[in-house]
């Protein structure tokens, strides 16, 4: 009877995702060069699988914050969040000779893959346009029209995809989403290029606005580490796969009312 119980317990444990832990001191040295886990976080006024939202007290809340907290907890180390205003800023902070962060999360694109080491996707998303009240924009295809005023956030996958797919539009890459919102208030925007979940978050704040059907870009959002840290990359890969399997990612998305899909096990955006 005891032997049967032990075998059953062993089988149950075998089916559970292991908590990702660095295997040795060398892995920990790559992942935690300061002894703390420093995580680069993009912050803005709309929540997404990438964007966290800045709170009145200056802290941030979002999917990536929850994942960063879980990673630090599994490592048993203090957490430092580096809050930045765009994915471009996050890339720059991690792609220097002395990176300012040790772990981050961001949408995958070829320019970033050339500068950082991406692990598996944890979320799959599409990008489309939001047409503010009074905008003439009625379809994704119509964005590629001379004089159509499209706004997005500089140095993001989404704005680059919009520039590729709507080359005849007048595209403005703002420094932050707050600047895009200010331009909408001034009546200067026909379409906002963002990920669908960010647009869903913005829609209640923009009476009369519409989110267009379809999309002009689809991509994964993935865990990422600075270049030249293969043991850190291996830990990050194990961590995010475990977090997908045990429901951590789904809970983080649900907490921000993001209903899109958790990426399947082993999912990697092309090029990553």
């Amino acid at each position: 009877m005891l032997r049967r119980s032990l075998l059953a317990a062993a089988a149950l444990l075998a089916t559970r995702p292991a908590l990702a832990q660095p295997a040795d001191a060398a892995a920990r040295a790559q992942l935690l060069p300061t002894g703390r886990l420093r995580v680069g976080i993009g912050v803005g006024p709309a929540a997404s699988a990438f964007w966290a939202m800045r709170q009145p007290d200056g802290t941030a809340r979002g999917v990536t914050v929850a994942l960063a907290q879980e990673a630090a907890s599994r490592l048993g180390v203090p957490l430092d969040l580096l809050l930045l205003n765009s994915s471009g800023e996050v890339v720059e902070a991690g792609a220097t000779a002395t990176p300012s962060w040790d772990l981050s999360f961001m949408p995958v694109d070829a320019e970033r893959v050339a500068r950082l080491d991406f692990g598996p996707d944890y979320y799959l998303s599409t990008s489309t346009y939001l047409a503010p009240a009074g905008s003439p924009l009625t379809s994704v295809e119509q964005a590629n029209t001379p004089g159509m005023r499209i706004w997005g956030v500089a140095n993001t996958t989404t704005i680059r995809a919009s520039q590729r797919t709507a080359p005849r539009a007048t595209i403005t890459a703002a420094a932050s989403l707050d600047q895009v919102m200010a331009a909408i208030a001034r009546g200067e925007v026909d379409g906002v290029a963002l990920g669908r979940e960010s647009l869903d978050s913005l829609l209640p704040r923009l009476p009369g606005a519409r989110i267009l059907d379809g999309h002009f870009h689809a991509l994964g959002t993935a865990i990422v580490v600075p270049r030249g840290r293969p043991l850190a990359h291996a830990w990050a890969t194990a961590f995010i796969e475990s977090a997908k399997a045990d429901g951590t990612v789904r809970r983080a998305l649900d907490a921000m009312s993001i209903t899109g899909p958790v990426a399947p096990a082993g999912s990697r955006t092309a090029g990553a």
Side-chain angles (χ1 to χ4, degrees), residues 100-221:
S100 300
W101 51 258
D102 310 307
L103 187 73
S104 191
F105 311 89
M106 69 183 69
V108 183
D109 75 5
E111 292 186 29
R112 294 171 188 164
V113 170
R115 304 183 68 189
L116 299 166
D117 281 344
F118 282 79
D121 304 324
Y122 62 91
Y123 184 75
L124 299 177
S125 62
T126 59
S127 297
T128 186
Y129 296 107
L130 178 145
S135 168
L137 185 60
T138 60
S139 70
V140 169
E141 294 74 21
Q142 189 188 3
N144 190 29
T145 301
M148 193 66 71
R149 300 170 301 172
I150 303 297
W151 283 62
V153 179
N155 295 317
T156 62
T157 303
T158 306
I159 195 66
R160 287 194 284 267
S162 181
Q163 289 166 336
R164 288 195 304 271
T165 57
R168 294 189 291 177
T170 300
I171 295 180
T172 301
S176 70
L177 194 50
D178 288 323
Q179 290 188 10
V180 177
M181 295 295 285
I184 293 173
R186 296 192 300 267
E188 298 175 357
V189 180
D190 296 321
V192 179
L194 280 176
R196 178 62 193 243
E197 65 272 17
S198 293
L199 295 179
D200 286 337
S201 179
L202 286 180
L203 191 61
R205 299 166 53 186
L206 296 168
R210 297 164 287 109
I211 296 176
L212 304 187
D213 292 334
H215 63 272
F216 60 85
H217 187 58
L219 78 162
T221 303

Side-chain angles (χ1 to χ4, degrees), residues 76-93:
V77 296
L79 173 64
D80 292 334
L81 298 181
L82 178 62
L83 305 184
L84 299 162
N85 292 321
S86 73
S87 52
E89 289 187 14
V90 178
V91 171
E92 293 303 322

Side-chain angles (χ1 to χ4, degrees), residues 42-55 61-64 123 177 194-202 205 252-253 255-258:
V43 293
S48 75
F50 166 73
W51 293 105
M53 299 180 71
R54 197 182 296 273
Q55 303 300 290
R61 174 174 174 264
V63 175
T64 53
Y123 184 75
L177 194 50
L194 280 176
R196 178 62 193 243
E197 65 272 17
S198 293
L199 295 179
D200 286 337
S201 179
L202 286 180
R205 299 166 53 186
L253 293 166
M256 301 306 295
S257 300
I258 297 171

